[in-house]
Amino acid sequence: NKYTMKSKKERLSAILTIVQTNSVNNQEDLLQLLKEKGFDITQATLSRDIKELKIGKAPDAAGNYKYVLSEGASANTINTPKEISGELISAGFMSLAFSDKLAVIKTRPGYAMGIASDIDNQVSHAILGTIAGDDTILLIPKEGFSKEEIIEALTVLIPRTLLINE
């Protein structure tokens, strides 16, 4: 029945299944596939779900970008987003470089937004904000934080050996 509210866990599981079994290029297509399965959600809810599941975009054989799961993500990992997050960051992080007070993080294609979101959520004591593209994150530190303090704050998410390996 259309009015039965499906649980968030069912919805997240359905999103993972759709992404694994279909070539989905954008949120509109994913939203449509979810509606066909009986999930009536908004674009905003879908965006949050994609972020929570750490679903990224990667080029397929033809060079078109499509949604992909982070390494190790599956329906069994829905309850452990922190673990998915750690694996995603380690798999997607490429480098960190400073220019005066600002920092730039380079990632593999499709990983920047997920990593930036984690930085915004978990390192907000040191980072004023981030701006993410497909493979680049602009990191804006809060006033008075040194490069070393920024690196130290980021170790919550990214292993120190990756951060200082130049």
Side-chain angles (χ1 to χ4, degrees), residues 12-26:
L12 295 178
S13 183
I15 292 169
L16 288 171
T17 303
I18 290 169
V19 169
Q20 285 173 306
T21 57
N22 298 274
S23 185
V24 184
N25 303 72
N26 56 49

Side-chain angles (χ1 to χ4, degrees), residues 46-55 113-114 117 121:
L46 181 58
S47 288
R48 284 190 295 273
D49 289 348
I50 288 171
K51 207 177 255 187
E52 182 176 331
L53 291 169
K54 305 295 179 215
I55 293 172
M113 283 198 280
S117 173
N121 290 323

Side-chain angles (χ1 to χ4, degrees), residues 71-84:
E71 245 175 80
S74 72
N76 303 334
T77 56
I78 289 174
N79 293 325
T80 55
K82 189 110 171 107
E83 287 172 27
I84 298 172

Side-chain angles (χ1 to χ4, degrees), residues 4-156:
T4 308
M5 194 61 187
K6 294 193 179 214
S7 77
K8 179 177 179 182
K9 188 165 181 161
E10 286 177 293
R11 185 177 74 241
L12 295 178
S13 183
I15 292 169
L16 288 171
T17 303
I18 290 169
V19 169
Q20 285 173 306
T21 57
N22 298 274
S23 185
V24 184
N25 303 72
N26 56 49
Q27 283 190 17
E28 292 75 31
D29 292 351
L30 186 52
L31 203 56
Q32 189 55 49
L33 290 165
L34 280 167
K35 282 188 173 149
E36 288 169 18
K37 288 185 179 284
F39 294 92
D40 191 23
I41 62 168
T42 64
Q43 187 84 34
T45 298
L46 181 58
S47 288
R48 284 190 295 273
D49 289 348
I50 288 171
K51 207 177 255 187
E52 182 176 331
L53 291 169
K54 305 295 179 215
I55 293 172
K57 278 192 163 186
D60 60 16
N64 301 311
Y65 279 81
K66 67 179 195 118
Y67 285 114
V68 294
L69 302 183
S70 65
E71 245 175 80
S74 72
N76 303 334
T77 56
I78 289 174
N79 293 325
T80 55
K82 189 110 171 107
E83 287 172 27
I84 298 172
S85 176
E87 289 173 26
L88 178 81
I89 289 173
S90 293
F93 177 86
M94 301 293 279
S95 66
L96 168 70
F98 285 89
S99 173
D100 194 31
K101 301 253 182 264
L102 302 177
V104 171
I105 291 177
K106 290 286 188 184
T107 71
R108 289 186 22 215
Y111 282 81
M113 283 198 280
I115 294 173
S117 173
D118 282 346
I119 291 170
D120 288 337
N121 290 323
Q122 296 179 45
V123 194
S124 59
H125 67 283
I127 305 297
L128 187 60
T130 58
I131 300 172
D134 185 52
D135 63 359
T136 305
I137 303 165
L138 172 62
L139 208 84
I140 303 160
K142 286 190 174 173
E143 203 60 47
F145 277 83
S146 69
K147 290 175 188 173
E148 187 49 50
E149 288 169 320
I150 295 302
I151 290 169
E152 190 57 42
L154 289 171
T155 60
V156 171

